C-alpha cells in the first residue's frame, strides 16, 4: 500500500531527494517548504506526478505557519504514515568568544523546537504503527564531540535527539516509531560540494533504514547505513 508521507524542508538538498525517491516508488507526498512559489523543482515534480504530490508552505520555526499546515493537511489527504522532519539550519563561522544569541535561538527553534512541536501538532494525524524520522546529525552526538565547532548547530541537534527519545515515549502506545537519523556527510548547500555522498545515496539509505524499523527500534539514533550512533 502506498504510504502517505510529509517531508519538511523539501525544496532542496536531502529533503528534495526524499520527495523524488518516495514519488518514484509510488508513495503520496506532502512536500512542505518555506516558499512554495519559488520551489521550482517541487512544482515540476507536482506536474509529473499529478495528485500524488502536494506542495504546502511551512516555516518549521514559526508557530502560525505550523498551525496553518496542520489546518490545510485534511484538504490534501489527511493521514500521515511517515513524517520526515528534515528541515534544518547550520550557521557557519561561529567561534568561541563571539557567539551569537540570535544564531543559538534560531538553530534551537528550527532544529529542535520546530520538529518537536510540529510532531506534537500532527500526532492526531499520524497513523498508528507509522514513523517519525527526525533528520539529525552526528554533530549532535555528545559522546563523539572532540572539538569546538558549529555550537549552535551541535547543541540544537543534541536537543533534537532528546526530543526524539521523548517523542518515542509519547507515541509508544500507538506503535509509532520515532528515530533520529544521521544522513551521512552529504553534497548539499549545507554539506558542501566536497562531502562524501550524494543526496540520492543518502535518501536511499535512510529510506532503507526507515523501512526496516521495528517498534523496538523507536528512540534509536542511526545513520544512513543503519549503524547505531552514540548519544
Ligand atoms: P540544505 O541543503 O541547507 O537544505 C536545508 C533545507 O531546510 C532547505 O529546504 C531549507 O529551506 C530548509 N529549512 C531551513 N530552515 C527552515 C525553516 N525554518 N522552515 C522550513 N524549512 C527550513 O541542507 P541539507 O544538507 O539538505 O540538510 C537536510 C537535513 O540534514 C538538515 O536537518 C541537516 O541538519 C541534516 N544534515 C545534513 C548533513 C549534510 O552533510 N548535508 C549532515 C548531517 C545532517 P530554504 O530553501 O527555504 O532555506
Amino acid at each position: 500500500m502506498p504510504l502517505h508521507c510529509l517531508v519538511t524542508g523539501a525544496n532542496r538538498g536531502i529533503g528534495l531527494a526524499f520527495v523524488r525517491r518516495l514519488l518514484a516508488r509510488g508513495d503520496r507526498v506532502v512536500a512542505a517548504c518555506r516558499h512554495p512559489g519559488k520551489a521550482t523543482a517541487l512544482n515540476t515534480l507536482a506536474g509529473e506526478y499529478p495528485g500524488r504530490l502536494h506542495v504546502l508552505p511551512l516555516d518549521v520555526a514559526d508557530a502560525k505557519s505550523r498551525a496553518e499546515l496542520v489546518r490545510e493537511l485534511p484538504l490534501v489527504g489527511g493521514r500521515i504514515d511517515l513524517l520526515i522532519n528534515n528541515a534544518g539550519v547550520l550557521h557557519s563561522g561561529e567561534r568561541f568568544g563571539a557567539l551569537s544569541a540570535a544564531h543559538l535561538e534560531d538553530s534551537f527553534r528550527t532544529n529542535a523546537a520546530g520538529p518537536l512541536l510540529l510532531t506534537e501538532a500532527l500526532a492526531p494525524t499520524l497513523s498508528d504503527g507509522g514513523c517519525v524520522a527526525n533528520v539529525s546529525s552526528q554533530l549532535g552526538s555528545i559522546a563523539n564531540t572532540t572539538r569546538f565547532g558549529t555550537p549552535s548547530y551541535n547543541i540544537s541537534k543534541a536537543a533534537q535527539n532528546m526530543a526524539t527519545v521523548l517523542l518515542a515515549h509519547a507515541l509508544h502506545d500507538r506503535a509509532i516509531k520515532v528515530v533520529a537519523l544521521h544522513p551521512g556527510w552529504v553534497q548539499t548547500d549545507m554539506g558542501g560540494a566536497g562531502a562524501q555522498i550524494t543526496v540520492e545515496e543518502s535518501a536511499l539509505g535512510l529510506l532503507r533504514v526507515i523501512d526496516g524499523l521495528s517498534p523496538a527500534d523507536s528512540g534509536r539514533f542511526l545513520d544512513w547505513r543503519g549503524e547505531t550512533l552514540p548519544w
Side-chain angles (χ1 to χ4, degrees), residues 9 11-12 14 34 59-60 86 88 135-136 153 157 183-184 186 188:
N11 56 306
R12 60 188 170 103
I14 300 167
R34 283 195 276 205
D59 180 338
V60 79
N86 164 80
V135 181
S136 178
Y153 185 74
K157 288 294 186 179
V186 192
T188 63

Side-chain angles (χ1 to χ4, degrees), residues 8-16 32-35 58-62 85-90 106 109-111 135-139 153 157 160 181-192 195 199:
T8 69
N11 56 306
R12 60 188 170 103
I14 300 167
L16 180 60
C33 62
R34 283 195 276 205
H35 307 291
L58 173 68
D59 180 338
V60 79
D62 182 83
N85 283 311
N86 164 80
V89 68
L90 189 162
D106 180 57
R109 261 198 306 273
T110 307
N111 295 345
V135 181
S136 178
S137 169
Q138 64 181 0
L139 294 177
Y153 185 74
K157 288 294 186 179
Q160 187 202 31
L181 299 175
H182 169 58
W185 183 24
V186 192
Q187 292 152 17
T188 63
D189 294 336
M190 187 185 292
V199 288

